[in-house]
Amino acid sequence: MRYLSAGESHGPCLVAVIEGLPSNLELNTENINRHLARRQQGYGRGGRMKIETDKVEVLSGLRFGKTLGSPLTLLIKNRDYDNWQEVMDPYNPAAKGKEGGAKLTRPRPGHADLAGALKYNHQDTRNVLERASARETAIRVAVGSVGRELISCFNINIYSHVVEIGGIKARDMNLSFQELFSKAESSQVRCADPEAEERIIEEINRVKEEGDSLGGVFEILVTGAPTGLGNHVHWDRKLDGRLAGALMSLQAIKGVEVGFGFDAARFRGSQVQDEICYNEERGYYHKTNRAGGIEGGLSNGEKLVIRCAMKPIPTLYKPLQSVDMETKKIHKAGVERSDVCAVPAASVAGEAIAAWEVAQAFREKFGGDSMEEVKANYENYMGIISNR
Ligand SMILES: Cc1cc2nc3c(=O)[nH]c(=O)nc-3n(C[C@H](O)[C@H](O)[C@H](O)COP(=O)(O)O)c2cc1C
C-alpha cells in the first residue's frame, strides 16, 4: 500500500492517491472529516485555522461507500485559496499578486526556505515554503484516517495525548486508557492533566505576547496490534524503524522514542527488558511494556507506545536574524501568518501517520485483495498463533 500527495499551502487544494487498498472496505468520509477537524484544533494555533474547515472529497476508488480496490483519490480544498489566487496563479507568467510581485527573499531560520531556494534555484522562497508548510499534514491526516478505518476493522485503535509543552510536563494521572483519551480529547491542548493544561495555556499566552513560540512532546498509543506486524529479517521492514522514520517526517518533529526510548540507555538490562509470561486466557504476554510493544522490529502483542518531540514553531512574530538573498545584507527573517504552538495538532497528525504505518504493516502481513480475503487471512493467523 502506498500513496503520493501533492498541493501547496495556499494553492487550490491538497490531493493524495492511495494505491493498494483492498476492495469492500467501508469508508465513511465523516470519520475522515472528524480527524481533519481534530487536527485543526488546539490552543495556540494561528488565524489560518479559522479560515479552513477541512472536508475530504473522494474522486476515485469508492462506490456506494465501499472501496473498489482501484486507486483512491482524496482531495481537500484550501478555502484560503480564494484570498491567494493572484499570488498562487498557476498559469499567468505576468501575475504579480497582492504582494505586488514582491519576492520573499529573507529565509526564516528553522524552515526549508534557504536550503530549498538554493537547491531548486528559486529567487522567491514562497516557491519552497508553500510545499514545506505543515498545511500538508491535512492530507496526511486524511490518508492516515483511511488506514485507520482499515485497521479498526481488526480492533486496532490509535490515540494520542500531549505530555509536555514548553517544559511543562503532565503528571501521570494513573488513568485508564479510555479516561486518558477522553480527558485529552476535551482538553484545549490535548493534555489529560488539568493542572498542566492551565499552566501550558498561560505559557502559550505569555510566549505569544513576546512574539515567540513553543514546542513539546506527545505520545501515541496503539492498541490491538497483533503479534508479528513488521519484520526482524530486514532493516527496512522493522516496524519501529518505519514508525520512527515516518513520524520524523512530520514537520518539526526532532525525536521519536519507542517505549522507554532514551531512558532505556540509562538503566540496567534487567530493568529494561520485559519478562515473558503465559496463561490460558491471554496466551503469551509480557509482565511490563518498557519496549513499547515492539521487539526486534516486530509488534509483540502489547500496546505500542511512541513519543514524539516537536521543536518550537520556527516562524516568529519577533523574527530572528536572516540574510536578504538579493542584497546579501543582514535583515530580520520574513514573517508568515503562524501558529505559536501546534503540539496538539501535531499529535493528531502523528496518530494518522502511525495509523498509516501500522495499516501498511498489516497489509504486508495479511495480504488479500478484498476485505473478505484479508479477514480470512487474519483469522487463520490468529488461530495459528493462539495454539502455539
Ligand atoms: C501541525 C503543525 C503546524 C505547524 N504550524 C506552523 C506554523 O504555523 N508556522 C511555522 O513556522 N511552522 C509551523 N510548523 C512547523 C514547520 O512546518 C516545520 O518546522 C518546518 O516545515 C521545518 O521543518 P522541520 O522543523 O521538520 O525541519 C507546524 C508543524 C506542524 C506539525
Side-chain angles (χ1 to χ4, degrees):
M1 218 165 53
R2 56 190 172 153
Y3 76 93
L4 275 179
S5 80
E8 275 71 40
S9 177
H10 298 97
C13 61
L14 300 162
V15 285
V17 180
I18 303 177
E19 200 266 331
L21 281 169
S23 64
N24 298 332
L25 167 67
E26 280 179 33
L27 264 194
N28 182 347
T29 51
E30 278 319 301
N31 288 342
I32 303 177
N33 290 336
R34 191 165 53 80
H35 293 301
L36 289 173
R38 291 173 69 229
R39 188 201 73 96
Q40 295 194 266
Q41 286 154 19
Y43 197 82
R45 302 219 65 192
R48 174 84 187 262
M49 288 307 115
K50 295 193 181 85
I51 298 169
E52 304 290 351
T53 318
D54 292 332
K55 296 260 182 270
V56 74
E57 289 173 43
V58 179
L59 305 185
S60 76
L62 196 69
R63 188 163 184 235
F64 307 140
K66 284 187 178 179
T67 55
L68 298 174
S70 51
L72 184 84
T73 307
L74 306 177
L75 178 144
I76 299 170
K77 284 197 179 118
N78 290 325
R79 294 194 177 203
D80 207 10
Y81 180 59
D82 291 346
N83 307 314
W84 288 79
Q85 284 191 29
E86 290 167 49
V87 179
M88 295 302 292
D89 190 319
Y91 309 111
N92 180 6
K96 288 198 186 307
K98 66 178 174 193
E99 288 156 339
K103 296 191 225 81
L104 299 182
T105 55
R106 295 169 188 174
R108 297 160 302 162
H111 273 286
D113 299 5
L114 176 61
L118 295 175
K119 180 176 167 73
Y120 280 86
N121 199 22
H122 286 310
Q123 312 304 314
D124 184 350
T125 62
R126 176 163 302 289
N127 292 339
V128 175
L129 69 87
E130 282 288 333
R131 180 63 184 159
S133 157
R135 174 76 189 137
E136 178 258 350
T137 59
I139 198 72
R140 275 207 261 184
V141 167
V143 169
S145 304
V146 173
R148 201 173 182 142
E149 293 287 292
L150 171 64
I151 55 181
S152 70
C153 299
F154 301 91
N155 278 329
I156 305 177
N157 291 302
I158 305 211
Y159 310 91
S160 72
H161 65 121
V162 167
V163 293
E164 181 175 341
I165 287 181
I168 300 164
K169 291 186 182 165
R171 293 166 299 168
D172 184 351
M173 305 292 285
N174 205 10
L175 298 171
S176 76
F177 201 60
Q178 290 309 329
E179 280 172 334
L180 175 72
F181 185 59
S182 90
K183 279 202 186 315
E185 211 55 19
S186 55
S187 153
Q188 291 190 75
V189 288
R190 298 191 54 72
C191 175
D193 173 3
E195 218 174 279
E197 177 187 30
E198 204 180 308
R199 288 172 55 217
I200 286 169
I201 289 173
E202 277 167 23
E203 183 64 2
I204 292 173
N205 290 339
R206 193 171 314 125
V207 158
K208 188 176 178 185
E209 285 282 301
E210 292 166 11
D212 220 321
S213 65
L214 290 174
V217 179
F218 61 87
E219 184 169 76
I220 300 169
L221 304 161
V222 183
T223 59
T227 301
L229 297 185
N231 216 306
H232 63 287
V233 302
H234 206 255
W235 66 270
D236 56 353
R237 295 167 69 191
K238 293 186 183 237
L239 187 61
D240 45 358
R242 284 187 167 189
L243 281 164
L247 286 162
M248 277 291 274
S249 81
L250 175 58
Q251 285 83 343
I253 298 305
K254 296 295 139 195
V256 180
E257 292 184 323
V258 180
F260 255 26
F262 271 57
D263 267 350
R266 300 181 186 116
F267 291 89
R268 294 181 178 195
S270 57
Q271 298 167 312
V272 170
Q273 320 309 331
D274 304 300
E275 288 185 301
I276 298 171
C277 310
Y278 179 86
N279 71 29
E280 286 279 318
E281 195 196 332
R282 290 177 68 182
Y284 293 104
Y285 66 96
H286 297 80
K287 221 183 249 179
T288 50
N289 185 21
R290 296 156 182 153
I294 304 176
E295 289 173 296
L298 294 152
S299 59
N300 66 5
E302 305 294 342
K303 189 165 62 192
L304 308 190
V305 185
I306 310 150
R307 270 179 307 282
C308 299
M310 183 180 192
K311 76 178 185 184
I313 296 287
T315 304
L316 302 178
Y317 283 102
K318 212 190 237 177
L320 296 176
Q321 177 183 308
S322 181
V323 172
D324 190 299
M325 292 180 78
E326 266 180 358
T327 64
K328 308 290 184 287
K329 295 224 164 74
I330 300 281
H331 267 285
K332 292 285 179 202
V335 181
E336 286 280 302
R337 182 182 49 201
S338 188
D339 301 326
V340 175
C341 173
V343 182
S347 82
V348 175
E351 279 177 23
I353 289 170
W356 178 258
E357 289 307 312
V358 172
Q360 242 187 343
F362 193 91
R363 292 288 290 134
E364 279 170 29
K365 175 79 191 86
F366 298 107
D369 292 310
S370 66
M371 276 304 275
E372 294 73 24
E373 208 182 335
V374 181
K375 278 184 183 153
N377 294 347
Y378 171 81
E379 276 154 24
N380 183 40
Y381 170 75
M382 295 308 275
I384 291 172
I385 61 169
S386 70
N387 288 324
R388 290 287 318 278

